[in-house]
Amino acid sequence: MTLAFQVLSGTIGAEIADVDLARLNSGDFAAIHDAMLEHGILVFRDQNLDPDQLHEFAARWGEVHLHPYLSGLPEHPGIIEIVKEAGERNRFGAHWHTDQIFTPTPAMATMLYAREVPPAGGDTLFASLYHAHDALSDGMRAMLGGLRTYSIYNKERPRSRRMANKVTEREKPAEPAIHPLIRVHPETGRRALYISDTQTTRCLHGMTEAESRPLLDYLLAHATRPEFTCRVRWDVGSLAIWDNRCLLHMALDDYPDHRRVMHRITIKGEATIGVSDS
Ligand code: SIN
C-alpha cells in the first residue's frame, strides 16, 4: 500500500488517509513506523477500534506501559480513559509536557484515540523538541549539553475529581528522575531539547529550583514557539500516535459545555542518552 500523507504544519505532523489500523500488514506497519520517526506525530481518521484492537495496534510498537500512578480500564489496564464532562474543566494534560519524564525510562510513544468529542475545541497541540534544539545558538547548545534535569510526578496538580479518582492508592512516594537536558534520540540520532512543564521538570542537577527556574522557563517558552508546533483537531474515530522522545504536547481546555472522552495508551521507553553519553 502507498501511504497518502498530508503534512500538518511546516515543522511536524502528518495525516495519513485511507488506512485501517486493525488490518495492517507488516510492510504497512514498517512504513508507518518510519513516518512517525520523520514527522513526529501521525493522525489517522475514521478508525473503528474496540479496546482489544486498540491494544493490539499499540503492542505492535512495543510493550504497552502501565502508568505508575493512574489506573486504566479494568479489562485493559494499559488504556487510560480520559473523561471530561460538560461543566468540568479539562485539566488532564492541559499544559505543555512530555509523558513520563518523571520516570527513569519515559514513554517511547503515546497514542490517543477519540471516543467522544465536543462540536468544536478540545484540540491537542504538539511542539518539536528537535526544532527547539536546532534553533538554539551554538553557545547555548554547548552550555546545555552537559546539564541534567530533575523531574518529579506532581500529585498535587489540580485535576477534576473524576481524573483524581484514577490516581491509585498504591502509589509509591515519587522519586525524581534524572535526564540529560539535550537528549539523543535512540533511533534517529537527532538531538532534542528534553524538558517538560516546570511543575514536573523542577530543576537542574547541582542547582536550586530558584537558580534553575529562569533557564527552564526560558527553554519551555522557546520550545513552544508557534513555528515549532502543529495542532490536531479530533473527530470521533481519530487516532494519533506521537514520538514522546522529541515532542511536547498540550490538551486545550476550550470546550466548557461539552463532554470529551479519549483512550490513551503509552508505549514503554528506554533510558535516556545525553550528548556526552553517546
Ligand atoms: C495527554 O496529555 O496525554 C492528553 C492530551 C489530550 O487529551 O489531548
Side-chain angles (χ1 to χ4, degrees):
M1 176 170 66
T2 309
L3 298 175
F5 291 95
Q6 192 174 357
V7 293
L8 297 179
S9 78
T11 311
I12 45 167
E15 190 165 320
I16 306 183
D18 303 325
V19 173
D20 180 352
L21 296 176
R23 287 185 182 67
L24 279 184
N25 64 34
S26 53
D28 296 338
F29 178 74
I32 287 173
H33 182 272
D34 290 351
M36 189 191 73
L37 293 181
E38 183 182 343
H39 297 284
I41 145 101
L42 300 178
V43 183
F44 304 88
R45 303 290 180 191
D46 304 319
Q47 302 301 311
N48 190 7
L49 303 171
D50 62 26
D52 285 343
Q53 290 168 314
L54 182 63
H55 189 276
E56 216 169 285
F57 175 60
R60 297 185 80 155
W61 295 84
E63 192 181 328
V64 170
H65 177 262
L66 296 187
H67 196 283
Y69 305 116
L70 293 176
S71 53
L73 297 179
E75 68 283 17
H76 278 296
I79 301 180
I80 294 170
E81 189 164 67
I82 305 173
V83 183
K84 188 207 82 85
E85 297 290 353
E88 283 177 355
R89 300 271 318 272
N90 177 30
R91 299 181 185 272
F92 188 86
H95 53 277
W96 284 110
H97 64 285
T98 179
D99 288 330
Q100 296 157 17
I101 193 170
F102 51 81
T103 70
T105 53
M108 178 269 262
T110 304
M111 196 176 289
L112 264 189
Y113 180 49
R115 307 296 306 239
E116 287 183 52
V117 297
D123 298 352
T124 307
L125 304 181
F126 295 87
S128 167
L129 295 172
Y130 285 151
H131 286 76
H133 167 270
D134 294 351
L136 292 169
S137 63
D138 291 346
M140 185 63 126
R141 286 203 295 252
M143 183 179 87
L144 302 186
L147 297 181
R148 292 188 181 264
T149 57
Y150 280 98
S151 296
I152 192 156
Y153 186 66
N154 182 4
K155 288 182 252 173
E156 310 311 323
R157 190 186 284 287
R159 297 180 171 90
S160 66
R161 181 145 15 96
R162 188 176 320 283
M163 293 311 291
N165 285 343
K166 291 181 194 283
V167 177
T168 55
E169 293 303 322
R170 65 181 154 76
E171 67 182 71
K172 301 183 284 268
E175 291 286 330
I178 303 174
H179 296 292
L181 185 51
I182 307 286
R183 178 176 184 180
V184 180
H185 192 289
E187 291 188 80
T188 65
R190 288 185 67 182
R191 294 175 180 198
L193 176 62
Y194 191 55
I195 46 163
S196 200
D197 60 290
T198 47
Q199 283 190 46
T200 305
T201 298
R202 295 273 177 86
C203 69
L204 297 162
H205 182 62
M207 298 187 204
T208 65
E209 280 193 39
E211 288 166 341
S212 311
R213 182 54 59 92
L215 182 58
L216 292 175
D217 282 344
Y218 166 75
L219 292 174
L220 191 65
H222 167 79
T224 55
R225 274 164 45 181
E227 62 270 35
F228 304 149
T229 69
C230 76
R231 178 173 185 138
V232 171
R233 189 185 53 75
W234 301 97
D235 299 309
V236 172
S238 301
L239 183 143
I241 178 160
W242 64 90
D243 191 336
N244 191 57
R245 299 164 292 189
C246 56
L247 254 64
L248 292 171
H249 61 283
M250 172 166 94
L252 292 183
D253 182 15
D254 60 352
Y255 52 106
D257 302 330
H258 298 281
R259 178 175 156 94
R260 178 180 185 261
V261 181
M262 311 293 278
H263 279 181
R264 175 180 182 275
I265 300 190
T266 51
I267 313 298
K268 208 162 185 284
E270 57 280 283
T272 50
I273 305 167
V275 276
S276 50
D277 307 322
S278 52

